[in-house]
Amino acid sequence: MKNLLLCVMGLFMATAHCSEPELTIVQKPIQMNDTRTALTLDYLKQRYGIEQQEPTITPTMVVVHWTVIPTLEQTFAAFDPAELPAARDGIRSGGQLNVSSQFVIDRDGTIYQLLPETYMARHTIGLNYTAIGIENIADGNDLPMTDAQLSANARLIRYLAGKYPIEFVLGHSEYQAFKGTRWWKERDANYITEKNDPDPAFMQRLRGQLTDLALKPLP
């Protein structure tokens, strides 16, 4: 009887695994030239006091964003240059490195990888040295987050948690919860931006799909 039960459980687990959509990541790299490397190393030094030879991170958290930019092509064009464009003067005090993320998820759930998972991207104040960023083509209004994006975020985060010691999954709007904790590295207390992405309902649904990862609650 015990052996029969184990066989049934094994069949159930195998079936559940097979029913999960296969994770496909489309490679769409932005420029990783000498300028981006130098600016990233400078960002790590100036913002966090971290001096190292390569612009790499050890991921312990994932930050989920929406782009506000309405298309994948426009988002790629915005992230591709290494240097911050004139249109982003509002955050120029944080350095010349352009904003970006490691991943972007289109509205149909297609996952694109812009940078290596362990190459630092500028996407979340105070946490870039340890956070993988996932951007979603959405704005919360005319372009709300889609069910396909929800599924893709969950599958991508589960994949990343299988490779790295991911402790937290947070929305960009939640990043200030880490101020005053050991994870927060931003040296300028006045360098803060207010964010509303993604909406709380989306983050609740997303974390609800990741309960098997035993993530830590936000500080």
Side-chain angles (χ1 to χ4, degrees):
M1 185 68 178
K2 181 178 180 181
N3 288 340
L4 177 61
L5 179 59
L6 289 173
C7 288
V8 171
M9 290 177 64
L11 179 61
F12 173 78
M13 292 175 68
T15 302
H17 177 75
C18 291
S19 66
E20 184 169 312
E22 181 181 353
L23 181 68
T24 299
I25 299 175
V26 179
Q27 298 301 311
K28 191 175 176 64
I30 57 176
Q31 295 182 60
M32 282 177 43
N33 51 26
D34 290 344
T35 299
R36 179 168 250 122
T37 295
L39 290 175
T40 305
L41 290 172
D42 185 66
Y43 188 98
L44 284 164
K45 180 180 178 180
Q46 299 301 324
R47 310 317 308 172
Y48 304 143
I50 298 173
E51 296 189 51
Q52 55 192 47
Q53 297 299 311
E54 299 294 334
T56 55
I57 67 172
T58 300
T60 63
M61 60 183 71
V62 175
V63 183
V64 181
H65 306 255
W66 61 41
T67 59
V68 179
I69 303 172
T71 70
L72 174 72
E73 291 74 20
Q74 290 172 302
T75 298
F76 183 88
F79 289 173
D80 189 42
E83 296 186 60
L84 196 69
R88 301 304 303 271
D89 275 347
I91 60 171
R92 192 169 298 280
S93 62
Q96 296 297 318
L97 177 65
N98 194 16
V99 297
S100 63
S101 65
Q102 286 83 0
F103 296 94
V104 174
I105 300 179
D106 209 347
R107 298 193 58 72
D108 64 357
T110 304
I111 301 169
Y112 295 89
Q113 184 164 4
L114 306 185
L115 288 170
E117 295 154 8
T118 58
Y119 191 106
M120 197 210 87
R122 180 181 180 180
H123 59 92
T124 304
I125 292 171
L127 303 173
N128 292 310
Y129 75 98
T130 194
I132 291 175
I134 302 176
E135 290 278 356
N136 291 267
I137 305 300
D139 63 12
N141 295 308
D142 296 332
L143 297 172
M145 299 283 269
T146 68
D147 288 342
Q149 287 174 321
L150 175 65
S151 176
N153 275 273
R155 287 185 287 120
L156 177 56
I157 292 169
R158 187 170 286 104
Y159 161 79
L160 294 171
K163 296 180 66 176
Y164 308 105
I166 301 299
E167 299 178 291
F168 301 99
V169 172
L170 60 145
H172 198 187
S173 62
E174 301 170 314
Y175 83 104
Q176 291 194 53
F178 287 83
K179 288 178 65 177
T181 72
R182 66 181 178 87
W183 295 279
W184 185 262
K185 296 289 188 186
E186 173 56 48
R187 303 169 88 180
D188 181 356
N190 296 317
Y191 182 54
I192 291 291
T193 56
E194 298 297 329
K195 298 295 180 178
N196 66 350
D197 59 311
D199 58 273
F202 180 88
M203 289 308 303
Q204 183 177 7
R205 292 174 66 198
L206 177 58
R207 283 190 282 253
Q209 292 196 14
L210 300 171
T211 54
D212 57 300
L213 299 184
L215 297 167
K216 293 182 179 179
L218 303 189

